[in-house]
PDB file of all heavy atoms in Angstrom:
ATOM      1  N   ALA A  10      -8.772  11.984  -5.530  1.00 39.00           N
ATOM      2  CA  ALA A  10      -8.608  13.400  -5.218  1.00 39.00           C
ATOM      3  C   ALA A  10      -7.175  13.828  -5.501  1.00 39.00           C
ATOM      4  O   ALA A  10      -6.265  13.029  -5.420  1.00 39.00           O
ATOM      5  CB  ALA A  10      -8.929  13.635  -3.745  1.00 39.00           C
ATOM      6  N   SER A  12      -4.360  15.286  -3.941  1.00 39.00           N
ATOM      7  CA  SER A  12      -4.148  15.471  -2.510  1.00 39.00           C
ATOM      8  C   SER A  12      -2.670  15.543  -2.175  1.00 39.00           C
ATOM      9  O   SER A  12      -2.179  14.777  -1.381  1.00 39.00           O
ATOM     10  CB  SER A  12      -4.762  14.323  -1.718  1.00 39.00           C
ATOM     11  OG  SER A  12      -5.596  13.548  -2.485  1.00 39.00           O
ATOM     12  N   ILE A  25       0.886  -9.792   0.960  1.00 97.00           N
ATOM     13  CA  ILE A  25       0.305  -9.781  -0.382  1.00 97.00           C
ATOM     14  C   ILE A  25       1.295  -9.223  -1.417  1.00 97.00           C
ATOM     15  O   ILE A  25       1.121  -9.415  -2.629  1.00 97.00           O
ATOM     16  CB  ILE A  25      -1.020  -8.966  -0.373  1.00 97.00           C
ATOM     17  CG1 ILE A  25      -1.999  -9.472  -1.411  1.00 97.00           C
ATOM     18  CG2 ILE A  25      -0.797  -7.486  -0.524  1.00 97.00           C
ATOM     19  CD1 ILE A  25      -2.744 -10.693  -1.041  1.00 97.00           C
ATOM     20  N   SER A  63      14.601  -0.898  -4.160  1.00 98.00           N
ATOM     21  CA  SER A  63      14.347   0.334  -4.924  1.00 98.00           C
ATOM     22  C   SER A  63      15.643   0.991  -5.366  1.00 98.00           C
ATOM     23  O   SER A  63      15.659   1.701  -6.375  1.00 98.00           O
ATOM     24  CB  SER A  63      13.546   1.331  -4.085  1.00 98.00           C
ATOM     25  OG  SER A  63      14.334   1.806  -3.010  1.00 98.00           O
ATOM     26  N   SER A  82      -0.042  -8.003  14.956  1.00 97.00           N
ATOM     27  CA  SER A  82      -0.892  -6.839  14.724  1.00 97.00           C
ATOM     28  C   SER A  82      -0.357  -5.667  15.552  1.00 97.00           C
ATOM     29  O   SER A  82       0.022  -5.845  16.717  1.00 97.00           O
ATOM     30  CB  SER A  82      -2.323  -7.180  15.142  1.00 97.00           C
ATOM     31  OG  SER A  82      -3.099  -5.999  15.160  1.00 97.00           O
ATOM     32  N   ARG A 160     -17.018   2.956   1.915  1.00 97.00           N
ATOM     33  CA  ARG A 160     -17.860   3.359   3.063  1.00 97.00           C
ATOM     34  C   ARG A 160     -17.264   4.524   3.812  1.00 97.00           C
ATOM     35  O   ARG A 160     -17.955   5.306   4.437  1.00 97.00           O
ATOM     36  CB  ARG A 160     -18.014   2.192   4.039  1.00 97.00           C
ATOM     37  CG  ARG A 160     -19.134   1.249   3.691  1.00 97.00           C
ATOM     38  CD  ARG A 160     -19.244   0.186   4.743  1.00 97.00           C
ATOM     39  NE  ARG A 160     -19.627   0.768   6.034  1.00 97.00           N
ATOM     40  CZ  ARG A 160     -20.598   0.301   6.782  1.00 97.00           C
ATOM     41  NH1 ARG A 160     -21.290  -0.744   6.382  1.00 97.00           N
ATOM     42  NH2 ARG A 160     -20.867   0.851   7.933  1.00 97.00           N
ATOM     43  N   ILE A 163     -12.822   6.949   1.093  1.00 97.00           N
ATOM     44  CA  ILE A 163     -11.381   7.051   0.830  1.00 97.00           C
ATOM     45  C   ILE A 163     -11.168   7.002  -0.690  1.00 97.00           C
ATOM     46  O   ILE A 163     -11.703   6.113  -1.355  1.00 97.00           O
ATOM     47  CB  ILE A 163     -10.625   5.899   1.540  1.00 97.00           C
ATOM     48  CG1 ILE A 163     -10.772   6.054   3.057  1.00 97.00           C
ATOM     49  CG2 ILE A 163      -9.152   5.876   1.128  1.00 97.00           C
ATOM     50  CD1 ILE A 163     -10.282   4.868   3.866  1.00 97.00           C
ATOM     51  N   GLY A 167      -6.752   2.913  -7.504  1.00 98.00           N
ATOM     52  CA  GLY A 167      -6.934   1.690  -8.276  1.00 98.00           C
ATOM     53  C   GLY A 167      -6.404   0.471  -7.542  1.00 98.00           C
ATOM     54  O   GLY A 167      -5.905   0.565  -6.423  1.00 98.00           O
ATOM     55  N   VAL A 190      -8.065  -1.171 -12.675  1.00 98.00           N
ATOM     56  CA  VAL A 190      -6.955  -2.077 -12.394  1.00 98.00           C
ATOM     57  C   VAL A 190      -5.720  -1.448 -13.037  1.00 98.00           C
ATOM     58  O   VAL A 190      -5.642  -1.305 -14.260  1.00 98.00           O
ATOM     59  CB  VAL A 190      -7.227  -3.503 -12.914  1.00 98.00           C
ATOM     60  CG1 VAL A 190      -6.001  -4.389 -12.742  1.00 98.00           C
ATOM     61  CG2 VAL A 190      -8.418  -4.114 -12.158  1.00 98.00           C
ATOM     62  N   LEU A 194       1.681  -6.816 -11.324  1.00 98.00           N
ATOM     63  CA  LEU A 194       3.111  -7.046 -11.105  1.00 98.00           C
ATOM     64  C   LEU A 194       3.331  -8.557 -11.057  1.00 98.00           C
ATOM     65  O   LEU A 194       2.881  -9.220 -10.121  1.00 98.00           O
ATOM     66  CB  LEU A 194       3.543  -6.396  -9.789  1.00 98.00           C
ATOM     67  CG  LEU A 194       5.023  -6.534  -9.430  1.00 98.00           C
ATOM     68  CD1 LEU A 194       5.907  -5.815 -10.447  1.00 98.00           C
ATOM     69  CD2 LEU A 194       5.282  -5.984  -8.026  1.00 98.00           C
ATOM     70  N   ASP A 201      15.293  -8.342  -7.663  1.00 98.00           N
ATOM     71  CA  ASP A 201      16.253  -7.299  -7.293  1.00 98.00           C
ATOM     72  C   ASP A 201      15.794  -5.974  -7.904  1.00 98.00           C
ATOM     73  O   ASP A 201      14.793  -5.932  -8.638  1.00 98.00           O
ATOM     74  CB  ASP A 201      17.685  -7.672  -7.721  1.00 98.00           C
ATOM     75  CG  ASP A 201      17.805  -7.948  -9.211  1.00 98.00           C
ATOM     76  OD1 ASP A 201      16.952  -7.455  -9.987  1.00 98.00           O
ATOM     77  OD2 ASP A 201      18.739  -8.654  -9.613  1.00 98.00           O
ATOM     78  N   GLU A 210       8.179  -0.805 -15.444  1.00 98.00           N
ATOM     79  CA  GLU A 210       8.145  -0.118 -16.743  1.00 98.00           C
ATOM     80  C   GLU A 210       7.229  -0.875 -17.708  1.00 98.00           C
ATOM     81  O   GLU A 210       6.550  -0.289 -18.541  1.00 98.00           O
ATOM     82  CB  GLU A 210       9.557  -0.033 -17.356  1.00 98.00           C
ATOM     83  CG  GLU A 210      10.574   0.726 -16.521  1.00 98.00           C
ATOM     84  CD  GLU A 210      10.435   2.242 -16.644  1.00 98.00           C
ATOM     85  OE1 GLU A 210       9.595   2.702 -17.435  1.00 98.00           O
ATOM     86  OE2 GLU A 210      11.150   2.943 -15.903  1.00 98.00           O
TER      87      GLU A 210
END
Side-chain angles (χ1 to χ4, degrees):
S12 347
I25 210 79
S63 68
S82 169
R160 274 183 65 131
I163 295 170
V190 174
L194 181 64
D201 57 23
E210 300 281 356

